[in-house]
């Protein structure tokens, strides 16, 4: 069960109630698990994944990390920070055009010393990561390629172990549901696998950020099984057993609308807690919508698993002030 991990970030992250917000909404008691506080260059969910991924990279003798993502990728920024902490070179393959002045996560990528390669599309990303790896190998380096979102068996296993962390903080029957942002799927897959492995009987609702539910369910079920392989436990779950809400995709990936704006402002103004514009703003907006629909009542207790991304706020000032 114990997988090699490097000492990265600060765990355990806190878990606490959002009492003023819960009163304001008049719905269930809302609690929050603060993976925005993992401490790695403004924190986030990829820190847990990178603890296992960097350990694997070092075990393989790697001297360079390569990964990819969107221009404001939180995963890329945390990978750059992890590389810096372990004295590794970092290459990021980012989707988009280089802006005149980098902001948000991209600014941090530069400060953290990452080498940035620009590609026009998601399709070009995986191919370019492999090309960069090949060029580095030819130059005598030992690159380690981390998949999009850090979502493979190791990355997802990190979130199965996060369930064990939470169950050391609160009794297993504390929550009636968990709500989490889901995109490349590794975080939700790990939570689902962890619930299965550690006997935590709770619905884990993924709010899809950019995929239709049927696509994400299949991916999450596959990654949960891969997390099980890493932890040497059989986790065979049917995609139908994975809970995904895809009603909050709005204008598409990283398009900030009223749902995200309202959630970000409300949580900031009632609790002093920041959400990010792309993932947790959308996921919390979805949570508020589900509460208003009556999915959970005042006697229920719902955990929002905060996955970080705060640095992205600074790249979305115009949309957030609209
Ligand atoms: C802040 C934040 N929340 C949630 C997610 C989604 O996590 P996953 O890709 O494991 O589904 C990401 C992924 O990039 C993220 O950056």
């Amino acid at each position: 069960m114990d997988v090699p991990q490097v000492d990265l970030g600060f765990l355990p992250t806190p878990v606490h109630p959002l009492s003023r917000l819960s009163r304001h909404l008049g719905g269930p008691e809302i609690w929050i698990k603060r993976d925005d506080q993992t401490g790695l260059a403004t924190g986030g969910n990829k820190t847990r994944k990178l603890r296992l991924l960097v350990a694997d990279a070092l075990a393989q003798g790697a001297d360079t990390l390569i990964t990819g993502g969107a221009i404001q990728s939180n995963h890329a920024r945390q990978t750059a920070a992890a590389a810096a902490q372990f004295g590794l070179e970092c290459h990021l393959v980012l989707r988009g055009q280089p802006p005149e002045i980098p902001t948000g996560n991209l600014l941090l990528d530069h400060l953290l010393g990452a080498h940035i390669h620009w590609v026009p599309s998601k399709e070009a990303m995986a191919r370019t990561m492999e090309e960069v790896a090949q060029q580095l190998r030819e130059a005598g380096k030992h690159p380690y390629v981390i998949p999009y979102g850090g979502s493979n068996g190791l990355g997802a296993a990190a979130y199965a172990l996060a369930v064990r962390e939470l169950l050391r903080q609160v009794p297993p029957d504390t929550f009636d549901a968990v709500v989490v942002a889901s995109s490349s799927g590794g975080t939700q897959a790990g939570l689902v696998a962890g619930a299965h492995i550690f006997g935590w009987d709770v619905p884990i609702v993924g709010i899809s950020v950019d995929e239709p539910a049927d696509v994400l369910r299949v991916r999450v079920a596959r990654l949960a099984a891969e997390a099980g392989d890493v932890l040497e436990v059989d986790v065979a779950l049917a995609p139908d057993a994975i809970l995904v809400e895809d009603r909050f995709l709005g204008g598409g990936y990283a398009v900030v609308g009223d749902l995200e704006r309202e959630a970000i402002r409300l949580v900031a103004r009632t609790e002093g807690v920041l959400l990010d514009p792309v993932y947790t703003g959308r996921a919390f907006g979805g949570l508020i919508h589900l509460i208003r629909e009556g999915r959970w009542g005042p006697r229920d207790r719902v955990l929002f698993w905060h996955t970080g991304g705060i640095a992205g706020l600074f790249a979305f000032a115009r949309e957030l002030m609209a």
Side-chain angles (χ1 to χ4, degrees):
M1 184 71 66
D2 276 317
V3 193
Q5 299 188 39
V6 293
D7 189 10
L8 189 65
F10 305 119
L11 301 179
T13 57
V15 56
H16 62 90
L18 298 177
S19 311
R20 278 174 41 78
L21 175 68
S22 304
R23 264 200 308 281
H24 176 90
L25 291 172
E29 211 179 288
I30 306 171
W31 286 54
I32 191 164
K33 173 73 169 156
R34 300 297 299 274
D35 279 10
D36 57 321
Q37 300 291 319
T38 57
L40 185 66
T42 74
N45 60 338
K46 310 305 177 184
T47 306
R48 290 186 191 273
K49 299 181 179 187
L50 285 160
R51 288 169 65 91
L52 280 69
L53 291 161
V54 172
D56 189 45
L58 294 177
Q60 293 186 25
D63 55 16
T64 304
L65 300 181
I66 302 174
T67 199
I71 183 167
Q72 282 298 328
S73 168
N74 300 297
H75 164 64
R77 179 254 308 161
Q78 286 165 92
T79 302
Q85 187 172 331
F86 285 88
L88 304 169
E89 198 171 297
C90 181
H91 289 253
L92 301 176
V93 178
L94 300 182
R95 195 167 77 231
Q97 296 281 340
E100 204 177 315
I101 301 176
T103 57
N105 283 294
L106 182 62
L107 170 63
L108 302 188
D109 297 341
H110 282 286
L111 296 179
L112 292 161
H115 302 262
I116 298 175
H117 309 258
W118 294 98
V119 290
S121 64
K122 201 169 183 174
E123 293 66 45
M125 203 161 58
R127 192 182 63 239
T128 307
M129 286 198 286
E130 271 316 317
E131 283 166 8
V132 171
Q134 189 52 32
Q135 285 160 12
L136 288 165
R137 271 184 222 110
E138 283 163 13
K141 295 266 181 192
H142 300 284
Y144 181 92
V145 178
I146 297 177
Y148 187 68
S151 283
N152 57 13
L154 283 171
Y159 265 90
L161 297 174
V163 168
R164 185 172 64 180
E165 175 184 299
L166 180 77
L167 295 179
R168 287 174 178 159
Q169 295 173 306
V170 296
D173 58 354
T174 305
F175 301 114
D176 299 287
V178 177
V179 172
V180 66
S182 199
S183 177
S184 67
T187 303
Q188 188 182 5
L191 294 178
V192 167
H196 184 80
I197 294 167
F198 299 109
W200 190 32
D201 184 17
V202 66
I204 296 168
V205 182
I207 306 286
S208 178
V209 169
D210 52 357
E211 297 281 13
D214 51 350
V215 172
L216 193 52
R217 277 195 203 101
V218 169
R219 188 186 298 162
V220 169
R222 174 177 55 75
L223 285 166
E226 289 177 22
D229 293 344
V230 168
L231 298 168
E232 297 177 351
V233 183
D234 186 27
V235 183
L237 297 169
D240 284 353
I242 309 294
L243 305 177
V244 173
E245 283 285 348
D246 65 359
R247 285 184 287 158
F248 309 110
L249 301 178
Y253 179 76
V255 177
V256 174
D258 289 339
L259 181 100
E260 293 81 13
R261 252 189 309 273
E262 188 206 353
I264 291 169
R265 288 184 186 166
L266 184 62
V267 177
R269 291 171 192 194
T270 53
E271 296 287 349
V273 170
L274 297 174
L275 303 171
D276 86 283
V278 178
Y279 299 92
T280 53
R282 183 161 288 180
F284 214 108
L287 169 59
I288 293 170
H289 186 99
L290 295 174
I291 289 171
R292 288 179 178 152
E293 270 183 358
R295 175 93 154 240
W296 300 288
R299 288 167 189 276
D300 291 327
R301 209 179 279 138
V302 178
L303 178 69
F304 181 77
W305 203 301
H306 197 327
T307 44
I310 306 308
L313 282 173
F314 303 104
F316 285 82
R318 197 187 307 272
E319 293 87 338
L320 293 169
M321 294 304 285

